[in-house]
Amino acid sequence: MRALLVTSVGITCAAALTLPLAAPALSAPPPHSASALPPESPGAGPPSVRAAELPAAESAGSTQSLPLEPLAAPSDRSMGPATAGQGLERRTARPFSLVGVVWDDAEAELHGTVQVRTRATGSASWSDWQDVETHNAEHAADLGSDERSSGAVRGATAPLWVGDSDGVEVRVRPEPADPQDRSEAAPLPEGLRLELVDPGPDPAPEPAEEAAPEPARAAPVGRTATAAAFALNPSPPTTTPAVVPEVLTAEAEAASAVNAELAPLGASVIPALTKAETEEAANVAPGAKPYIGPRPGIITRKGWGADEKLRERQFAYTKTVKAAFVHHSATGNNYTCKQAPSVLRSIYRYHVKSSGWRDFGYNFAVDKCGNIYEGRAGGVTKAVLGAHTLGFNTNTMGIAVLGSYSSTNPPAAAVTAVSKLTAWKLGLFGANPKGKVTLTSGGSNKYKAGTKVKMNVISGHRDGFATECPGARLYKKLGTARTSSAKLQGR
């Protein structure tokens, strides 16, 4: 893809960043690799195609893209429109862990329901039908932006984490065109495809000699697949083993170099700092009141195993960070904290390869154990332009709490992590977590382009777009997050 030309600028406390230069449109990503696999019988018998007969997946992850087919009309017309919709009967696939449905026109809406069921890898056990969130258009680059107008962007449902699976069935049912007449169906978008995403293996742990400074404070809450690499070795060896330095690709080096002032090149974690250390790092004058929270430990893109060759090579920035939008990923809650890096790699691949975005959409992610992850590349202290809140990506940041929180309460550790992250990051730009800010809409289904909107500095996605995100239960916790974040800043 053609590079976006931007100027990378470091920041100090409350300093403004310069605007990026105008950029050429992105080119479309390479076509998907479709897998034409024979369907299985409705029974729960053994797979009709063995794994050895399927094409090998890429070691860094892969995406199988399967065109949907017409389904037979339901015999009971009372259940819905006469047109049955599209889908795929049960079939075997290469192993995957996340699913979603995409279509050709990013501006088209899917008026209907999407349901999937999957088979656990190596077993004959099929899951129950699971709903996939269809209204996902609000998670996207702003209208008129280079990322949005690249020609690569597709319509897409939210991704759903299903765990290690090798069988799938999907059905897309249209809504009635007229609620009073259920015999007519609303048209489905053109080019519906099922995306099956394999996140690839977790990154190898770093050698003990490369552990982050002060590991007891640097290690994030909970133990993820990468967190073990940050823990202090209680019994260090008497001899130092030979360590072969890792050779980073140019893309991986660039993604790490933008955080060079915070952690060594190629580090898997940015260590936590005390409030005093954070103020010193931000060049705060002695005796001044910086109103900045202590820097939390942050797992880098290297730490969660991001394949830097997937994303657009250059980084895009805005002027500043005036507000934070909190989201839920809507990927479901059936993941462990050890699996969180795999969930992130899957969402990243789905955002780039399936949805056609330049990179992971959110600036940060938080898992249910309170671990904080670097999201879109460009530097955790910088005003990186994301694709998280349609109409309000400029001068804001997006934080996705992994999971679905419409009817499930978010874990306290996740809410605490949001407080810690916002206290630090908003403090770098002089923003008060308990304050209000006026933002200009770039266009959404709630505010037309150019509308000036007064919002909370820590807002939920639904504040800028008519959506359920971040889920009613998480949205109710934002008041707690604002209070805690401001307290961490010393307000």
Side-chain angles (χ1 to χ4, degrees):
M1 291 186 290
R2 295 173 59 189
L4 290 177
L5 302 179
V6 295
T7 302
S8 174
V9 185
I11 65 166
T12 57
C13 180
L17 299 179
T18 58
L19 278 170
L21 298 176
L26 302 175
S27 58
H32 294 167
S33 57
S35 299
L37 303 175
E40 296 187 25
S41 62
S48 60
V49 179
R50 302 300 175 186
E53 300 172 8
L54 298 173
E58 303 167 33
S59 60
S62 63
T63 302
Q64 301 168 73
S65 188
L66 310 177
L68 300 192
E69 303 165 354
L71 294 175
S75 57
D76 184 359
R77 295 292 179 88
S78 66
M79 299 298 292
T83 303
Q86 298 181 35
L88 293 174
E89 300 295 338
R90 289 188 179 185
R91 61 185 58 208
T92 292
R94 293 195 310 266
F96 61 92
S97 296
L98 180 139
V99 303
V101 171
V102 301
W103 52 92
D104 295 340
D105 184 0
E107 307 306 321
E109 292 188 42
L110 195 164
H111 296 287
T113 60
V114 177
Q115 293 182 310
V116 299
R117 55 183 171 189
T118 55
R119 184 186 60 211
T121 296
S123 77
S125 175
W126 285 81
S127 71
D128 294 332
W129 285 105
Q130 299 185 74
D131 293 322
V132 179
E133 174 57 57
T134 58
H135 300 295
N136 191 54
E138 68 270 20
H139 299 84
D142 286 344
L143 302 174
S145 66
D146 292 303
E147 183 172 359
R148 181 76 177 195
S149 58
S150 67
V153 180
R154 304 176 184 87
T157 68
L160 178 68
W161 175 262
V162 295
D164 194 8
S165 307
D166 64 5
V168 67
E169 183 176 8
V170 60
R171 60 191 185 194
V172 180
R173 306 285 196 195
E175 293 177 348
D178 181 353
Q180 303 301 320
D181 181 6
R182 300 184 65 84
S183 64
E184 295 295 329
L188 292 173
E190 296 289 334
L192 289 171
R193 304 180 72 87
L194 174 66
E195 304 288 286
L196 306 177
V197 181
D198 169 25
D202 283 329
E206 290 183 351
E209 290 73 21
E210 296 181 12
E214 299 189 40
R217 201 169 65 234
V221 179
R223 296 186 61 81
T224 67
T226 58
F230 315 143
L232 180 64
N233 184 352
S235 302
T238 55
T239 59
T240 303
V243 177
V244 178
E246 181 181 2
V247 178
L248 300 176
T249 64
E251 295 85 358
E253 184 173 340
S256 183
V258 286
N259 294 316
E261 295 182 359
L262 314 178
L265 192 67
S268 292
V269 67
I270 295 169
L273 297 179
T274 65
K275 195 172 192 304
E277 290 169 336
T278 302
E279 292 171 3
E280 182 180 358
N283 298 320
V284 176
K289 287 189 176 181
Y291 297 120
I292 182 172
R295 187 179 77 199
I298 302 172
I299 298 173
T300 65
R301 289 170 63 92
K302 170 68 162 52
W304 56 264
D307 180 356
E308 300 296 352
K309 292 184 179 179
L310 291 182
R311 63 170 173 81
E312 174 67 29
R313 292 187 64 183
Q314 300 300 320
F315 312 127
Y317 300 96
T318 59
K319 282 184 176 181
T320 186
V321 177
K322 295 181 178 180
F325 283 99
V326 178
H327 306 253
H328 67 172
S329 63
T331 46
N333 302 317
N334 297 322
Y335 74 94
T336 65
C337 293
K338 183 178 180 180
Q339 292 174 320
S342 294
V343 177
L344 288 171
R345 292 196 304 278
S346 298
I347 297 173
Y348 173 42
R349 178 171 279 274
Y350 185 74
H351 282 178
V352 177
K353 302 296 286 186
S354 301
S355 303
W357 299 358
R358 61 173 292 133
D359 193 353
F360 189 80
Y362 309 102
N363 298 103
F364 295 93
V366 171
D367 69 24
K368 61 175 68 174
C369 288
N371 297 302
I372 300 171
Y373 302 85
E374 178 185 16
R376 178 164 286 210
V380 297
T381 63
K382 297 178 173 61
V384 178
L385 176 65
H388 47 85
T389 307
L390 182 65
F392 294 96
N393 289 306
T394 299
N395 297 333
T396 69
M397 69 175 184
I399 304 168
V401 180
L402 298 182
S404 301
Y405 299 106
S406 294
S407 58
T408 301
N409 288 325
V415 178
T416 298
V418 171
S419 301
K420 291 179 177 179
L421 175 58
T422 51
W424 170 69
K425 183 63 182 276
L426 292 173
L428 289 174
F429 292 86
N432 181 356
K434 291 181 69 176
K436 301 280 187 178
V437 65
T438 298
L439 302 174
T440 302
S441 173
S444 74
N445 68 354
K446 193 169 184 177
Y447 300 106
K448 64 181 181 180
T451 303
K452 294 188 181 300
V453 186
K454 191 172 185 178
M455 294 186 182
N456 290 308
V457 168
I458 297 180
S459 286
H461 189 179
R462 63 175 62 184
D463 293 321
F465 199 98
T467 173
E468 289 296 315
C469 185
R473 299 292 183 89
L474 178 55
Y475 189 74
K476 288 181 179 180
K477 296 293 184 180
L478 295 188
T480 299
R482 293 182 192 109
T483 301
S484 299
S485 181
K487 186 175 181 180
L488 286 168
Q489 284 191 348
R491 295 182 186 270

